[in-house]
Amino acid sequence: MKPLATLAGMLLLALLLVGCAARQQAQAPQPGPPAGQAPARPPVARAPAGAPPAMAAPNPAGGGPLDSEEAILADLASEPQAMTTPAVADPLEPINRGIFRFNDVVYIHVLDPAARGYKKVVPPEVRQGLKNFLDNLMFPLRMVSSTLQGKFERAGQETARFILNSTLGIGGMGDAALDLFQIPAPPQEDLGQVLGAWGLGHGFYVVLPVMGPSSLRDGLGWLGGSYLDPVWYLPVDFWEAAGIKSLDWFHRYSFVEGEYVDLVAGAVDPYVAVRDIYLQYRARALRE
Amino acid sequence: MPMARRIACLLALAVLLNAGAARAAEQPQAVLQAYIDKFVSVLHDPSLAGPAKKAMQSERLWQVIQGGFDFQGIAIVAVGANWRRFSPAEKDEFTQYFAQLLRNNYLKKIQENYRQQQVRILSQEIYDGKKALIKSSIGHPNGDIPVDYRLWLREGRWQIYDVTVEGVSLVQNYRTQFNDFLLKGTPAGLVQRVKEMVAREQG
């Protein structure tokens, strides 16, 4: 009796083990032909073009659903919104490209060298304090933008940061809100995003001299935003205010000196690359 | 009698649990974490530190990257539907030179700018068991940088096919440029252009 029971037990174990192995096989598809990354591999059409969408059947044994080129392309086609920047018209492309080339020269040969000189004279701690101060000044715009988009929590966050930093942060030079109260800066809101949140599309793409990529909607937003910019309400004349604004802009630029060159270094078409980066970035800012 | 059966059950259970663990180890998040750890360990390797060792460090980093990134797949999704217009020879050349372009552009920058930043993996989402989106955050004094990785299961393992920084996807950015180019140009012209860019960097 005993040996029979032992044999039965071992048989049961063997059956269970076989069952396990079979399940493992189905979960981890066998590696495809070893020449996966090697050059000169002829395209293997496992699925015809226009194959059924991504919701495929369980993994076929011996071969993943994305292994072949056609499978990848079919998968891409089945999700057109995935990894595609929403198209924005560029009717001014010839003009835009011209301004883009102009900006290229200005960034690399005028602004970057000037910013490097500026950075040598003004140490980073002071520049960070100044940046915080200027960010604090722009609070009204961000608060209004957040509120208009219904992002009340964000508006509250901005208000809290403004009050804390103005009182505890030496008039906005330090970031007490972050350091002491862990209230981080929420994503920057501006009127271009307000218009976007209300459903307005970009209109068309525009490259502004020196200011860089923008769009009809964002440009209008920027103009509207200047009404909430304290600089224009200072008791100075227009040109002095413009001078202050330019300095502020240049000071912010000093933080990103050299990044334009890095940005376009790997681009096959720098103009299109920057346009795409701008549109992706704005699309994401809108989503948040 | 009951003893033998009990042992058999326990052993079977142990085998089943083991199988489950093996499946969990193939989670894309774990795979990505392993690559990040390997990458960072090369950056921290004291025998590769210093300007004299830059080239060797670059070589080692590139080996790690090649293990984690699916450059063949990246080339295909970066070109998109236009890929079908390429001849097999053009496909191979393009894949090879595009990978080199990405290496020239990004590896050097990472090497130069690495200052012990922490990479924190925040979340993982898996789609249909074959694609994954992993969100991470890279620590930075001026504010953390959100970086998303897209991985897919190809040829039995999870590989990276796109990186999104601050909401800007690398593959998407190149696809926009390539689509624009291929509206007026040919695949051969695009291959030529990428070759020229790589040659310029090397020169």
Side-chain angles (χ1 to χ4, degrees):
Chain A
M1 265 337 208
K2 250 194 194 166
L4 197 62
T6 319
L7 197 64
M10 290 182 72
L11 203 62
L12 182 68
L13 179 64
L15 282 171
L16 285 164
L17 286 171
V18 168
C20 259
R23 214 167 314 162
Q24 244 175 327
Q25 192 108 337
Q27 286 295 335
Q30 299 293 356
Q37 253 100 16
R41 180 162 89 113
V44 177
R46 299 246 189 122
M55 285 296 296
N59 295 349
L66 284 173
D67 280 12
S68 75
E69 291 180 11
E70 274 307 323
I72 293 176
L73 290 174
D75 181 73
L76 201 65
S78 71
E79 294 174 72
Q81 274 73 45
M83 302 204 296
T84 304
T85 311
V88 169
D90 193 2
L92 304 175
E93 183 166 333
I95 305 174
N96 281 339
R97 281 193 184 259
I99 301 180
F100 184 81
R101 274 195 294 275
F102 167 76
N103 286 350
D104 189 88
V105 171
V106 170
Y107 294 148
I108 296 177
H109 298 285
V110 178
L111 286 176
D112 275 359
R116 286 195 286 272
Y118 177 74
K119 286 203 287 196
K120 275 206 200 116
V121 173
V122 185
E125 306 80 37
V126 177
R127 282 192 300 124
Q128 187 63 41
L130 276 176
K131 181 171 184 286
N132 289 340
F133 175 73
L134 295 165
D135 278 343
N136 221 36
L137 267 190
M138 289 315 291
F139 150 77
L141 171 65
R142 292 200 303 271
M143 208 273 289
V144 171
S145 294
S146 295
T147 310
L148 287 176
Q149 292 183 60
K151 296 180 182 171
F152 299 114
E153 193 192 314
R154 209 165 279 187
Q157 222 174 332
E158 289 282 2
T159 310
R161 283 180 54 80
F162 177 73
I163 295 173
L164 284 171
N165 285 341
S166 302
T167 49
L168 295 172
I170 323 160
M173 295 281 280
D175 196 342
L178 181 65
D179 297 335
L180 298 177
F181 295 93
Q182 280 88 47
I183 306 177
Q188 298 260 327
E189 299 288 354
D190 54 60
L191 287 183
Q193 288 186 57
V194 173
L195 294 171
W198 289 353
L200 203 63
H202 273 291
F204 52 82
Y205 179 66
V206 171
V207 178
L208 300 173
V210 183
M211 302 287 295
S214 184
S215 66
L216 181 64
R217 179 193 82 196
D218 290 345
L220 286 174
W222 174 74
L223 266 176
S226 59
Y227 281 96
L228 290 165
D229 189 340
V231 171
W232 302 107
Y233 296 92
L234 292 173
V236 295
D237 73 18
F238 172 79
W239 289 108
E240 283 173 342
I244 296 174
K245 218 44 207 145
S246 309
L247 274 176
D248 168 26
W249 188 89
F250 176 73
H251 171 78
R252 287 176 200 276
Y253 184 89
S254 74
F255 285 89
V256 300
E257 176 263 320
E259 287 192 19
Y260 171 77
V261 177
D262 286 345
L263 205 64
V264 297
V268 164
D269 182 339
Y271 171 80
V272 176
V274 169
R275 183 180 70 197
D276 180 75
I277 288 172
Y278 178 75
L279 291 175
Q280 282 197 56
Y281 184 73
R282 294 298 286 173
R284 177 171 174 269
L286 203 58
R287 275 198 301 269
E288 290 182 345
Chain B
M1 195 156 89
M3 192 50 148
R5 216 181 297 159
R6 211 173 295 158
I7 292 176
C9 285
L10 282 171
L11 280 172
L13 194 65
V15 170
L16 285 172
L17 286 173
N18 226 23
R23 247 174 284 143
E26 284 173 280
Q27 286 285 301
Q29 183 166 333
V31 172
L32 181 67
Q33 185 70 62
Y35 279 121
I36 291 176
D37 291 341
K38 232 191 290 186
F39 191 80
V40 170
S41 75
V42 173
L43 283 169
H44 282 161
D45 188 344
S47 72
L48 293 171
K53 298 280 176 56
K54 271 286 173 263
M56 203 158 47
Q57 191 191 52
S58 173
E59 221 12 80
R60 291 276 298 277
L61 288 171
W62 184 236
Q63 280 167 16
V64 177
I65 289 178
Q66 281 182 306
F69 280 76
D70 177 5
F71 283 109
Q72 195 208 22
I74 290 176
I76 299 174
V77 287
V79 173
N82 280 314
W83 188 250
R84 299 193 182 100
R85 288 169 53 185
F86 284 60
S87 75
E90 283 163 353
K91 285 179 184 177
D92 291 330
E93 262 197 311
F94 181 83
T95 305
Q96 190 190 335
Y97 282 99
F98 186 50
Q100 202 56 40
L101 179 72
L102 293 173
R103 171 187 181 166
N104 289 349
N105 201 41
Y106 294 105
L107 194 51
K108 210 170 34 161
K109 270 200 280 271
I110 294 176
Q111 273 183 294
E112 284 163 8
N113 291 315
Y114 182 67
R115 303 263 184 280
Q116 323 281 341
Q117 285 95 334
Q118 291 279 62
V119 182
R120 258 179 22 245
I121 292 189
L122 303 172
S123 69
Q124 169 187 260
E125 269 177 68
I126 303 184
Y127 308 98
D128 295 335
K130 58 180 182 176
K131 279 158 88 165
L133 170 66
I134 299 181
K135 299 197 180 192
S136 79
S137 174
I138 299 190
H140 193 80
N142 278 349
D144 290 353
I145 304 175
V147 177
D148 300 346
Y149 298 90
R150 286 182 198 276
L151 291 88
W152 57 23
L153 193 58
R154 275 192 86 212
E155 286 157 7
R157 54 193 193 92
W158 288 98
Q159 303 175 62
I160 302 170
Y161 70 92
D162 191 18
V163 180
T164 298
V165 179
E166 294 263 24
V168 179
S169 143
L170 183 80
V171 162
Q172 217 168 301
N173 188 250
Y174 275 107
R175 178 122 52 82
T176 312
Q177 295 176 57
F178 295 154
N179 277 346
D180 197 80
F181 184 98
L182 291 169
L183 277 175
K184 322 152 215 153
T186 64
L190 184 57
V191 173
Q192 191 55 35
R193 167 73 133 252
V194 178
K195 266 174 147 168
E196 280 165 12
M197 290 184 69
V198 171
R200 243 208 328 258
E201 283 280 335
Q202 241 113 44

